[in-house]
Amino acid sequence: FVFSFGVLAVISWYAHWMGILQFQADTAPMQYTTALCFILCGIAQFLLTTRQRPIASWFGGIIIAFYSLTLLEYLTHSDFGIDHPFYASYINIATAHAERTSPLTCFSFIFIGFSFVLAGWQKSWSKRLAGSGMLACVVIVIAAVGLAGYAVGLKPAHGWGAYSNMAINTAILILLLGASLLLWSWDSARSEERRVGKECRSR
């Protein structure tokens, strides 16, 4: 679902489907680069369910690197040109910089990226699964607070001072992605415990 909506959002930027990009007319849109990142996250999530699980760590690393640079842009008041490599935004509502992802969204994706890195890395498996699940919980909280802020009209919950706000559709997808990672980590940890238990009994 995350992958599909990311693709739909990318198409919507070209087709001017405003209802997809903004669930409310006066709110921030899902940025183009955010949609691309959701596509990467959808692929990484799928890879976790296959024998190509370690590749998900590389996707996580790409996500971390990109959004770390975006945060650095905010901190240094710079423009590295990474916010608009493919498309120029024509929606500048509730955004401090055109095409630039909200700081809250950046932090959420960085946590998600680290969660993918830990989930795809097989060494010290149980500890990394616990770490992946904890990071997913942090992401769930950030997205839930953002959505609650929209529900009650509390701007600081989904914004960051004078910076861009987290879009409603972005918050929903981040919430779903965090929940999916948490459930996958929990289920994988249980499977690993059963496997280790069988090995111990067989000895």
Side-chain angles (χ1 to χ4, degrees):
F1 180 81
V2 169
F3 173 88
S4 299
F5 195 93
V7 173
L8 180 61
V10 168
I11 296 173
S12 297
W13 275 108
Y14 294 104
H16 292 244
W17 293 341
M18 308 298 289
I20 300 297
L21 300 175
Q22 294 172 285
F23 283 2
Q24 293 181 6
D26 59 342
T27 60
M30 176 184 289
Q31 300 294 353
Y32 190 93
T33 52
T34 301
L36 291 178
C37 187
F38 277 126
I39 293 174
L40 292 181
C41 287
I43 296 173
Q45 184 75 48
F46 171 75
L47 290 172
L48 289 179
T49 65
T50 70
R51 295 182 179 181
Q52 307 301 321
R53 183 173 60 233
I55 301 178
S57 295
W58 291 97
F59 280 87
I62 294 172
I63 293 169
I64 293 168
F66 179 83
Y67 284 104
S68 293
L69 287 174
T70 303
L71 284 178
L72 188 60
E73 286 183 319
Y74 278 115
L75 292 174
T76 61
H77 302 284
S78 303
D79 185 358
F80 302 147
I82 62 173
D83 306 311
H84 41 80
F86 307 108
Y87 195 76
S89 175
Y90 49 82
I91 307 175
N92 295 317
I93 299 174
T95 58
H97 301 275
E99 299 102 19
R100 186 173 299 179
T101 304
S102 160
L104 285 178
T105 304
C106 289
F107 276 113
S108 298
F109 275 125
I110 288 173
F111 289 136
I112 288 172
F114 277 113
S115 184
F116 279 129
V117 169
L118 293 175
W121 204 346
Q122 299 186 47
K123 295 181 180 179
S124 302
W125 185 234
S126 59
K127 294 181 180 179
R128 282 176 167 75
L129 283 174
S132 178
M134 291 178 63
L135 290 169
C137 287
V138 174
V139 170
I140 291 172
V141 170
I142 293 175
V145 170
L147 287 174
Y150 276 111
V152 301
L154 183 61
K155 185 175 180 179
H158 53 79
W160 191 320
Y163 295 122
S164 305
N165 295 338
M166 178 185 286
I168 297 175
N169 46 15
T170 298
I172 293 173
L173 289 188
I174 287 177
L175 182 65
L176 291 175
L177 186 58
S180 177
L181 278 169
L182 177 60
L183 290 173
W184 181 87
S185 299
W186 178 68
D187 184 65
S188 297
R190 291 184 61 188
S191 298
E192 181 67 12
E193 288 178 0
R194 288 194 295 267
R195 186 186 66 79
V196 172
K198 290 181 180 179
E199 290 179 355
C200 291
R201 286 192 297 270
S202 63
R203 292 176 184 175

